Amino acid sequence: MYDQAERLRQILKTNENSNRQTSTRKITDNTRVIAVSSGKGGVGKTNFTINLAISLSKLGYTVAVIDADIGLANIDVLLGLLPKENISSVLNKNKNILEIMTDGPDGVKIIAGGSGLYDILSLNAENLNYLISQLSQLEQLFDFVLIDTGAGISEVVMSFVSAADEAILITTPEPTSLTDVYALIKALRIRGSSCKLRLVVNRVENQREAIDVFEKLFIASKKFLNTSIENLGYIMNSKLVVEAVKNQNPFINLYPNSSISKNINSIAVKIIGSTNNNENKNSFTNFLNKFKDFFSKNDSE
């Protein structure tokens, strides 16, 4: 049986030899863009994204998080941050994207989107090319770029998820959550998206419940959508999450030895395990090309 705990210890031991240059030096040749999305709000998507980013950073990887939720951008709230700039500062003030980054926990960099993302919907070709050139700088600095999208199947959500080569879909065991995440998968496939889909089941009571939820969604997606999804892991239902939110401190830092922190670390290890896959070799370039294509079409319409 695959020993995730041992794998985690090996990775930590390897990265200790880098003079603790965590989040200051890119350690892979490839920059992986991973969209994190959900079929409905309130399932813990943003909380998951933040804690995953910190876990990856603790393992020695450089990580940036783009808050791409137009309506409910709240990464800054969960972290107790007050970003002075966001994406609109790049578009309207000619700010360099590196200037608008906010320092998050453990070296994670935060790029605030918020209302500034509305400006992307009406970009002309010149401004779109400028934004693409700014985003391209991230490839030289980060091993992982996590995009915290909005929930649902809006065009903006679809564009970010479709542009990424990898997507993590968050659901809970609730029937409404499962129905909505299935609708998201269906919408992505109708759109022609080929991104790799992985599922994380949040707020489960035990491992058996997580497996049951995954199997239901896997069978339905395979049978009716001809789509395979990967089981990335689960997060236990815990009051510690609520306490961490109240303290505006990610639970992986506030309660590092808790079951939920171990759940996040296991998921991070799985993600790292596929870092050198050939399928992800041009992840960032693919993302920029698909992102540009979508908004170019949007502008022409």
Side-chain angles (χ1 to χ4, degrees):
M1 180 179 292
Y2 180 72
D3 186 351
Q4 292 181 346
E6 178 59 29
R7 178 67 185 277
L8 181 61
R9 286 192 290 270
Q10 291 175 356
I11 293 174
L12 286 170
K13 183 176 180 180
T14 299
N15 288 326
E16 283 176 357
N17 297 326
S18 64
N19 294 322
R20 302 195 65 79
Q21 293 293 318
T22 301
S23 299
T24 60
R25 184 175 62 192
K26 193 168 184 281
I27 64 176
T28 63
D29 294 331
N30 177 49
T31 296
R32 291 172 62 184
V33 180
I34 303 177
V36 184
S37 194
S38 61
K40 67 188 294 289
V43 298
K45 171 181 56 64
T46 298
N47 217 330
F48 169 83
T49 304
I50 292 170
N51 284 278
L52 175 62
I54 294 172
S55 180
L56 290 170
S57 183
K58 287 179 182 293
L59 293 174
Y61 294 86
T62 51
V63 186
V65 176
I66 299 177
D67 190 348
D69 189 339
I70 290 181
L72 297 170
N74 58 5
I75 285 181
D76 52 339
V77 176
L78 288 176
L79 295 177
L81 302 175
L82 294 172
K84 296 180 180 179
E85 311 280 359
N86 60 26
I87 287 292
S88 65
S89 301
V90 175
L91 301 175
N92 301 324
K93 301 179 183 178
N94 292 320
K95 289 275 188 178
N96 189 296
I97 197 166
L98 305 183
E99 296 179 87
I100 72 165
M101 289 183 182
T102 302
D103 293 330
D106 293 87
V108 173
K109 301 296 183 181
I110 309 297
I111 299 175
S115 60
L117 291 172
Y118 281 114
D119 297 327
I120 297 179
L121 299 176
S122 58
L123 289 181
N124 58 35
E126 181 180 356
N127 288 337
L128 178 59
N129 286 330
Y130 177 71
L131 177 60
I132 294 297
S133 70
Q134 289 297 306
L135 289 172
S136 67
Q137 297 181 71
L138 304 182
E139 185 174 20
Q140 305 302 318
L141 300 173
F142 298 103
D143 298 298
F144 290 93
V145 175
L146 305 184
I147 303 175
D148 180 34
T149 77
I153 56 174
S154 70
E155 281 300 299
V156 174
V157 172
M158 290 291 99
S159 66
F160 277 111
V161 178
S162 296
D165 283 344
E166 307 173 65
I168 299 175
L169 307 181
I170 310 297
T171 187
T172 67
E174 297 176 2
T176 53
S177 182
L178 280 172
T179 300
D180 288 338
V181 79
Y182 177 81
L184 174 57
I185 296 171
K186 183 178 180 179
L188 286 168
R189 289 317 184 223
I190 291 175
R191 187 190 180 91
S193 171
S194 60
C195 64
K196 185 172 185 177
L197 302 178
R198 295 184 170 101
L199 186 74
V200 170
V201 187
N202 194 20
R203 301 173 188 161
V204 299
E205 296 303 326
N206 51 60
Q207 185 181 37
R208 182 67 257 174
E209 183 178 42
I211 293 174
D212 289 343
V213 170
F214 170 76
E215 289 180 345
K216 288 178 182 178
L217 197 58
F218 178 87
I219 292 171
S221 298
K222 190 68 176 178
K223 181 177 181 180
F224 299 110
L225 304 177
N226 194 29
T227 295
S228 292
I229 58 175
E230 179 183 329
N231 187 4
L232 190 56
Y234 62 91
I235 310 293
M236 295 293 291
N237 189 25
S238 174
K239 294 180 180 179
L240 297 182
V241 175
V242 177
E243 292 302 314
V245 171
K246 288 181 179 179
N247 284 279
Q248 294 182 301
N249 191 351
F251 62 73
I252 195 171
N253 283 340
L254 201 57
Y255 309 108
N257 297 317
S258 64
S259 61
I260 51 178
S261 293
K262 292 175 182 177
N263 293 155
I264 283 286
N265 287 332
S266 293
I267 290 171
V269 168
K270 284 187 179 180
I271 292 172
I272 291 169
S274 60
T275 297
N276 294 321
N277 284 358
N278 290 331
E279 63 186 285
N280 297 318
K281 186 175 181 181
N282 299 309
S283 176
F284 199 81
T285 300
N286 289 340
F287 167 74
L288 291 180
N289 289 338
K290 292 176 184 177
F291 183 86
K292 182 176 181 179
D293 285 346
F294 171 80
F295 287 104
S296 294
K297 291 177 183 177
N298 190 62
D299 181 57
S300 64
E301 294 173 357

